[in-house]
Amino acid sequence: MSELKTRRLTTVFQAAAKGEGGRRKLIIPFITAGDPDLATSLDLMHTLVKAGADVIELGIPFSDPMADGPVIQAANERALEKGASLAQIIDLVAQFRQTNKKTPVVLMGYMNPVETMGYETFAQSAGAAGVDGVLTVDLPPEEASDLVTAAHAANLDSIFLLSPTSPDSRIAEVCKHVGGYVYYVSLKGVTGAANLDTDDVARRVSNIKSLSNIPVAVGFGITDASSAVAVASAADAIVVGSALVKLVAQHGSEPETLHNSIYKLLNSMRVALDEHYPA
Amino acid sequence: MNTQTGQLDDKVTDQYPDEKGHFGIYGGSFIAETLMDPVRELQAEYEKYRLDNEFIAEFEWELKNFVGRPNPLYHAKRWSDELGGAQIYLKREDLNHTGAHKINNTVGQALLARRMGKKRIIAETGAGQHGVATATVCARFGMECIVYMGAEDIQRQAPNVFRMKLLGATVVPVESGSRTLKDALNEAMRDWVGNVDDTFYIIGTAAGPHPYPTMVRDFNSVIGKEIRDQSMEHTGRLPDAVIACVGGGSNAIGAFHPFLDDAEVALYGVEAGGDGIETGRHAAPLTAGKPGVLHGNRTYLMEDDAGQIIETHSVSAGLDYPGVGPEHSWLKDIGRVQYDVATDAEALDATHKLCRLEGIIPALESAHALAYAIKLAPTWSKDKNIVVNLSGRGDKDINTLATLEGMTL
Ligand SMILES: Cc1ncc(COP(=O)(O)O)c(C=O)c1O
């Protein structure tokens, strides 16, 4: 096998750790690909980068999004009504890569579309399109070895979740299988839930960091600059999803308002994080 | 089973599932991280109590005194005579308390929940039978009960919704997706993720992450065990065939499992053919679907080319599900069970036959198994015995039947 190039996710997380004053905190926005349509998603990806995104998580819509709350469920339904498919979303990333070679893109979704495409076909075409990582929420590492093998062969990072219910023994084990970053789900609940306890998050993220060197991104329940700052104290990166997807739902048919409002929200987080955690 | 020779090389039942709940490539635990630990706890607790004599005795006591088991294996003589071939015996799950096999499983899971100290019970339901059976055991054991039900099904199954409420359960309408059983299951999973500490999820069929498919099978295996004993009593031997309808597959696997190692007993699982397989409007993943991942396990699914789950159709709400328990997927692939379909029309015809010839109103789900017997029995000689699992009674379906005849009750 040829020498694999350094993965974009590794580069981005390493660069963030190199600041003189401290660690730069990364922002990972999530949007559902194809909501309200694929062309808008492409424009939004560029807007997210302008607003300060370090990594983009693109949701692959699924008919049965079991781990998502109402906001992202509705986004999945909107995207599917327009017929968005995994193949088209991989193509969307290829289009994004025509002008952006730097920002890592992670595909996040559920297993079945990936199963249906086939692991090899998925990994090879995603890798060729410029996808950097894959996270399927209903795939714990225990069931993942075939997909991980296919992903690695295509130079893709496989990202897994940790949650408040993950015992220490499992945290160490899961981190062994992770590439890029581990995604810590901040609360017991679905996306968009509102029971975020930032002290609890800080404690648990510190615990994860004591068990592994892998960067930790924290998501679920981050809605604005202040929750972003609070969660980022222990984390390397914050993930913001439902708050952005809500704006897509509200302004999907008014492109200018949509881009402005998305920019405004994400950039307010960027500014607040850079202020609180100068690198 | 060797698929080339059709011989049993080993006991089928010794081969699976593995310790992670895999039946060949099927089954497993495809769930979000937050559920991994509660599911592991459940695996460990079930593994412990499964072999615990006190637990088993308690379960059997409830089946006898609360559910009313054993129910009869009844020789449907007039119907057999009319079909003119094999003798048909009906396993009368319809005579259980609450009117279907579903209660076997809810009693078992509720007892386990109690041992695990969980007081809040959630469930999903389609036809409402599992919801009623869950509400019933929750009332019996003093537990809080929340049932998720698709908004579409709430309209179709109004009497069962009222029954659940009478029994003290909260019925939560699910408005997402196709607003039917699969969406109710999604919503129950979401509830569980948010309430893992105090909540026990009683899944209503032999699907979901490990250990559910095995656990639900074990609690329903009382059906097949009784069929064995009663068949010996009636005929002095095992039946030549057992037929059961397959929605998620709990009544079927319960009826089949005690016979898997008896190669001489033919097993037939009957899926909902809806308007006919060729129309695409059906609920027959084993017959017309392909393997995929949904609701915690890998199994045959009804999906489109992009891996999206597609809507199902069946006259019986209880079979209206795009997936099926993983053990059935395995049994199909190894050839131990034959899977086929009965259409809506065939099921309705069988319903009327049983009403008129035997004085029994079957559930529309069970009628699919009856419809298959109508095809099979005449091709077999009179000295052969076929057991049809009559998984439930049809009282819940009288509104549907009346509507089909242009009447409102
Ligand atoms: C009477 C009856 N039979 C069968 C079924 C189908 O479920 P399963 O395939 O799990 O037995 C149902 C489901 O509601 C039912 O009520």
Side-chain angles (χ1 to χ4, degrees):
Chain A
M1 201 192 293
S2 64
E3 185 71 12
L4 295 174
K5 61 183 190 297
T6 308
R7 295 178 184 168
R8 253 184 297 254
L9 280 169
T10 311
T11 308
V12 165
F13 276 93
Q14 277 174 356
K18 281 197 186 124
E20 305 241 309
R23 224 170 212 286
R24 183 167 170 273
K25 302 293 181 176
L26 301 189
I27 298 189
I28 310 180
F30 167 97
I31 56 170
T32 299
D35 169 33
D37 53 54
L38 289 160
T40 307
S41 295
L42 180 60
D43 293 343
L44 280 176
M45 289 172 78
H46 291 301
T47 299
L48 294 170
V49 173
K50 272 189 215 125
D54 298 289
V55 177
I56 293 175
E57 284 185 358
L58 263 192
I60 310 165
F62 183 48
S63 52
D64 295 80
M66 275 178 301
D68 286 297
V71 170
I72 294 179
Q73 284 172 43
N76 278 269
E77 287 181 20
R78 287 193 298 272
L80 290 176
E81 263 165 36
K82 292 277 173 65
S85 69
L86 178 53
Q88 289 173 333
I89 291 160
I90 290 171
D91 195 50
L92 172 69
V93 178
Q95 290 175 48
F96 175 72
R97 282 278 170 258
Q98 287 176 4
T99 51
N100 183 318
K101 311 260 185 252
K102 213 180 76 206
T103 312
V105 175
V106 171
L107 296 186
M108 180 168 182
Y110 294 82
M111 270 308 280
N112 204 49
V114 176
E115 286 255 324
T116 302
M117 181 175 276
Y119 296 164
E120 299 257 312
T121 310
F122 164 73
Q124 291 301 326
S125 60
V131 171
D132 299 284
V134 55
L135 195 185
T136 37
V137 295
D138 53 351
L139 183 74
E142 284 86 342
E143 301 281 359
S145 60
D146 292 347
L147 181 56
V148 168
T149 306
H152 287 182
N155 208 24
L156 294 179
D157 281 313
S158 48
I159 294 155
F160 291 102
L161 302 169
L162 288 173
S163 87
T165 60
S166 311
D168 282 1
S169 54
R170 195 172 157 76
I171 291 172
E173 185 58 30
V174 169
C175 286
K176 273 193 226 155
H177 298 275
V178 161
Y181 60 95
V182 67
Y183 185 139
Y184 176 69
V185 173
S186 64
L187 49 81
K188 294 175 192 166
V190 293
T191 53
N195 50 327
L196 184 66
D197 172 350
T198 50
D199 291 341
D200 182 64
V201 172
R203 248 191 332 272
R204 290 184 191 268
V205 172
S206 306
N207 183 45
I208 295 170
K209 293 196 146 289
S210 74
L211 295 164
S212 162
N213 293 323
I214 196 92
V216 182
V218 178
F220 285 39
I222 299 168
T223 55
D224 53 16
S226 73
S227 49
V229 166
V231 167
S233 78
D236 300 297
I238 55 120
V239 184
V240 51
S242 294
L244 295 170
V245 173
K246 227 181 243 173
L247 294 174
V248 181
Q250 273 165 19
H251 307 300
S253 55
E254 322 148 295
E256 207 179 307
T257 324
L258 176 62
H259 285 274
N260 288 342
S261 61
I262 294 266
Y263 181 91
K264 209 170 131 206
L265 176 62
L266 199 69
N267 194 250
S268 72
M269 296 181 174
R270 173 82 278 157
V271 170
L273 286 182
D274 291 347
E275 235 172 64
H276 276 81
Y277 308 101
Chain B
M1 180 105 140
N2 182 321
T3 39
Q4 256 85 58
T5 62
Q7 296 288 305
L8 291 176
D9 357 316
D10 252 323
K11 281 190 165 184
V12 177
T13 46
D14 284 348
Q15 296 173 35
Y16 65 91
D18 69 12
E19 80 283 0
K20 285 181 179 164
H22 296 116
F23 300 85
I25 64 165
Y26 304 106
S29 298
F30 292 85
I31 45 176
E33 175 64 23
T34 311
L35 290 179
M36 283 304 286
D37 199 53
V39 162
R40 285 195 169 192
E41 181 196 357
L42 179 61
Q43 286 164 8
E45 295 284 315
Y46 179 60
E47 203 43 49
K48 181 167 90 193
Y49 287 119
R50 190 172 73 83
L51 305 167
D52 179 294
N53 285 333
E54 212 179 288
F55 182 81
I56 294 168
E58 194 178 13
F59 178 55
E60 286 174 351
W61 192 94
E62 293 292 335
L63 289 184
K64 177 166 187 279
N65 296 288
F66 188 61
V67 175
R69 304 200 73 98
N71 56 49
L73 182 69
Y74 165 76
H75 186 188
K77 207 161 174 324
R78 290 190 68 210
W79 192 37
S80 306
D81 286 348
E82 177 174 294
L83 291 171
Q87 299 307 302
I88 297 182
Y89 289 81
L90 302 176
K91 180 57 178 163
R92 300 291 307 274
E93 293 299 305
D94 61 315
L95 295 178
N96 292 342
H97 179 39
T98 72
H101 70 289
K102 296 277 178 191
I103 190 115
N104 303 323
N105 169 48
T106 58
V107 164
Q109 289 199 50
L111 289 174
L112 185 59
R114 195 165 68 170
R115 300 257 173 161
M116 290 171 67
K118 309 268 183 187
K119 294 226 164 65
R120 182 175 178 273
I121 301 291
I122 57 172
E124 86 295 339
T125 197
Q129 288 305 100
H130 174 60
V132 167
T134 305
T136 298
V137 294
C138 287
R140 161 98 179 81
F141 297 128
M143 294 160 152
E144 182 188 0
C145 180
I146 294 131
V147 180
Y148 290 93
M149 187 166 185
E152 190 82 21
D153 290 333
I154 286 188
Q155 283 191 338
R156 288 199 279 185
Q157 307 287 332
N160 271 345
V161 176
F162 186 65
R163 258 178 217 126
M164 288 184 260
K165 289 182 180 165
L166 264 183
L167 291 160
T170 306
V171 180
V172 183
V174 177
E175 301 282 357
S176 57
S178 59
R179 307 157 88 228
T180 59
L181 177 56
K182 79 174 175 70
D183 310 285
L185 224 148
N186 294 338
E187 205 56 36
M189 287 274 184
R190 291 179 189 122
D191 177 311
W192 197 18
V193 170
N195 298 286
V196 282
D197 297 328
D198 65 343
T199 297
F200 189 105
Y201 179 15
I202 299 190
I203 295 186
T205 192
H210 178 59
Y212 283 101
T214 314
M215 177 167 72
V216 174
R217 172 196 78 197
D218 291 350
F219 290 141
N220 269 308
S221 288
V222 62
I223 303 171
K225 287 179 199 149
E226 285 179 11
I227 294 175
R228 278 188 92 90
D229 293 348
Q230 292 167 326
S231 180
M232 295 305 288
E233 267 169 43
H234 279 284
T235 67
R237 58 193 176 87
L238 296 182
D240 299 292
V242 179
I243 305 175
C245 68
V246 179
S250 66
N251 88 87
I253 202 68
F256 294 165
H257 195 260
F259 295 103
L260 290 182
D261 293 325
D262 303 295
E264 71 274 26
V265 181
L267 302 172
Y268 299 94
V270 188
E271 297 190 290
D275 290 344
I277 292 294
E278 67 289 352
T279 67
R281 284 172 53 77
H282 57 80
L286 289 166
T287 307
K290 52 183 197 265
V293 171
L294 181 70
H295 293 151
N297 57 118
R298 183 180 282 120
T299 192
Y300 279 87
L301 297 176
M302 289 183 51
E303 57 179 40
D304 67 15
D305 293 342
Q308 307 298 341
I309 306 307
I310 55 180
E311 275 185 44
T312 51
H313 170 83
S314 170
V315 68
S316 72
L319 302 183
D320 224 343
Y321 179 63
V324 63
E327 189 164 0
H328 287 291
S329 294
W330 171 241
L331 291 169
K332 172 192 160 76
D333 283 7
I334 66 169
R336 176 63 188 97
V337 179
Q338 306 304 311
Y339 294 91
D340 206 329
V341 295
T343 61
D344 284 358
E346 289 167 332
L348 288 166
D349 178 54
T351 300
H352 289 292
K353 281 272 151 52
L354 202 70
C355 289
R356 297 298 178 88
L357 287 170
E358 298 290 348
I360 298 170
I361 304 175
L364 285 174
E365 291 80 12
S366 324
H368 289 71
L370 297 168
Y372 196 75
I374 291 179
K375 288 190 230 173
L376 187 64
T379 68
W380 284 14
S381 60
K382 290 188 172 155
D383 58 348
K384 299 265 186 195
N385 301 315
I386 296 174
V387 172
V388 179
N389 192 31
L390 193 60
S391 56
R393 71 177 83 124
D395 304 41
K396 69 180 175 62
D397 295 317
I398 53 171
N399 285 316
T400 306
L401 291 169
T403 308
L404 286 169
E405 294 187 11
M407 288 190 286
T408 26
L409 301 180

